Amino acid sequence: MRSFFRRLRWLTQRSRKEAELREELEFHLEEEAEQHQAEGLAEEQARWAARRELGNLTLLQEDTRATWTWTFVEQLAQDTRYGLRMIAANKNLQRDGDPVACLGNRSQHGDLQLHGFDPAALATGARFSVAGDAELAYPAPQHARHQPA
Amino acid sequence: MHREPPSRVELLQGTLDLLILRTLLAGPTHGHAIAKHIQRTSEDLLQVETGSLYPALHRLEAKEWIAASWKLSDRGKRARYYRLTPRGRKQLASEQSKWRVFSHAVALILNPVDQEGS
């Protein structure tokens, strides 16, 4: 819960973060320009080359801002899912009284699938997100799952 | 003088997080240095676009895998330095492990010499 409020506070400090992002990108530009100058470009050319490499500054700022909100929402959803799973597991445990059986029930419902490790998604360059409880979600090795009957 | 880089490999989405976390294992540094480290260490094969780097850094910070603070750079300018958090360190170990499994699996498919030869 403390983590939730910390994230919420972090999210609300938007104007400060906007200013920091601008300063951070300005620093990046200066570093890049200095590197170009060290490689032999004139000051103006170096600055222009750095600016060109940085790309669309407005788009970059928008993309970065989007991560502030999106990551918060994503993590809130993960925390909620995790909490609900824990409640469900506790209920199963109380009902069945057997933690191993309880884990088996979860496995049947696909809770022990590996989240975020999708080679197909990697190959296509799609987003590769990792669930917060990835260690819980690690799958059995392929050879173990595909043993002949 | 400017030199043309060798043909670069497109960075698969998702691997950037891993590379950033691994870079920060060596110690705190700023975004520009992270990008240059990845480029240099990969022998210029990987170039991190600024448009991907900063959203990734801020996303990792929001996940509390890295933390940022302002410090003076080597040149005496104020820069935003990122450092790995304990959660980030744990995440790095997990991601490295997954990456090894994934690359091993792909290598088995790309190099099926043993299976085809037998």
Side-chain angles (χ1 to χ4, degrees):
Chain A
M1 206 59 182
R2 198 167 42 198
S3 175
F4 168 79
F5 285 115
R6 191 169 59 241
R7 284 179 194 149
L8 189 64
R9 195 173 57 242
W10 190 80
L11 188 71
T12 54
Q13 296 171 336
R14 205 173 179 89
S15 58
R16 182 182 60 81
K17 285 159 59 59
E18 299 256 6
E20 285 189 348
L21 177 60
R22 276 194 299 275
E23 190 176 348
E24 186 174 24
L25 294 175
E26 186 55 40
F27 173 81
H28 185 103
L29 262 177
E30 286 175 15
E31 287 290 298
E32 194 67 23
E34 281 185 25
Q35 187 180 319
H36 285 306
Q37 267 189 281
E39 288 169 354
L41 285 185
E43 188 179 344
E44 192 56 35
Q45 280 180 307
R47 187 138 188 95
W48 185 81
R51 185 71 190 74
R52 190 188 55 193
E53 282 167 16
L54 193 68
N56 186 333
L57 194 60
T58 308
L59 185 65
L60 170 54
Q61 286 173 318
E62 278 175 13
D63 284 350
T64 308
R65 269 187 230 115
T67 66
W68 300 338
T69 312
W70 176 243
T71 309
F72 174 77
V73 172
E74 198 178 35
Q75 293 213 314
L76 185 62
Q78 278 177 10
D79 290 349
T80 307
R81 269 203 310 271
Y82 182 75
L84 290 174
R85 253 189 249 157
M86 289 300 104
I87 291 168
N90 278 339
K91 278 185 180 168
N92 284 346
L93 192 60
Q94 284 170 9
R95 192 189 61 210
D96 301 340
D98 180 358
V100 177
C102 175
L103 201 64
N105 289 341
R106 296 180 63 210
S107 181
Q108 284 167 17
H109 289 95
D111 278 340
L112 297 185
Q113 293 295 309
L114 177 67
H115 297 284
F117 188 63
D118 180 1
L122 262 182
T124 55
R127 186 175 291 279
F128 175 38
S129 63
V130 177
D133 52 342
E135 62 275 11
L136 276 177
Y138 212 85
Q142 286 294 318
H143 59 80
R145 288 196 288 158
H146 290 177
Q147 276 177 353
Chain B
M1 287 298 283
H2 266 289
R3 58 189 168 87
E4 278 302 310
S7 53
R8 284 177 171 141
V9 179
E10 185 126 356
L11 199 56
L12 294 171
Q13 198 158 10
T15 54
L16 179 56
D17 292 2
L18 173 62
L19 299 182
I20 291 172
L21 293 176
R22 180 61 186 84
T23 301
L24 290 177
L25 191 61
T29 193
H30 51 74
H32 185 263
I34 292 171
K36 292 299 157 189
H37 178 267
I38 292 172
Q39 187 176 337
R40 202 173 46 245
T41 311
S42 70
E43 297 175 347
D44 278 353
L45 287 170
L46 298 177
Q47 185 180 27
V48 183
E49 300 296 335
T50 319
S52 305
L53 176 67
Y54 287 95
L57 285 170
H58 284 248
R59 189 176 62 248
L60 297 181
E61 190 189 0
K63 289 181 174 182
E64 298 178 343
W65 293 350
I66 61 177
S69 55
W70 290 91
K71 290 181 190 171
L72 288 182
S73 73
D74 297 342
R75 298 172 199 265
K77 291 176 190 162
R78 222 169 84 92
R80 200 160 191 257
Y81 275 71
Y82 293 92
R83 67 176 187 282
L84 205 56
T85 63
R87 286 179 73 172
R89 202 173 282 268
K90 195 175 162 191
Q91 186 64 23
L92 173 61
S94 163
E95 292 288 329
Q96 276 185 310
S97 163
K98 286 179 200 167
W99 181 257
R100 284 192 197 103
V101 172
F102 176 69
S103 57
H104 175 66
V106 173
L108 286 175
I109 294 164
L110 295 181
N111 308 302
V113 181
D114 291 345
Q115 290 93 322
E116 286 178 357
S118 62

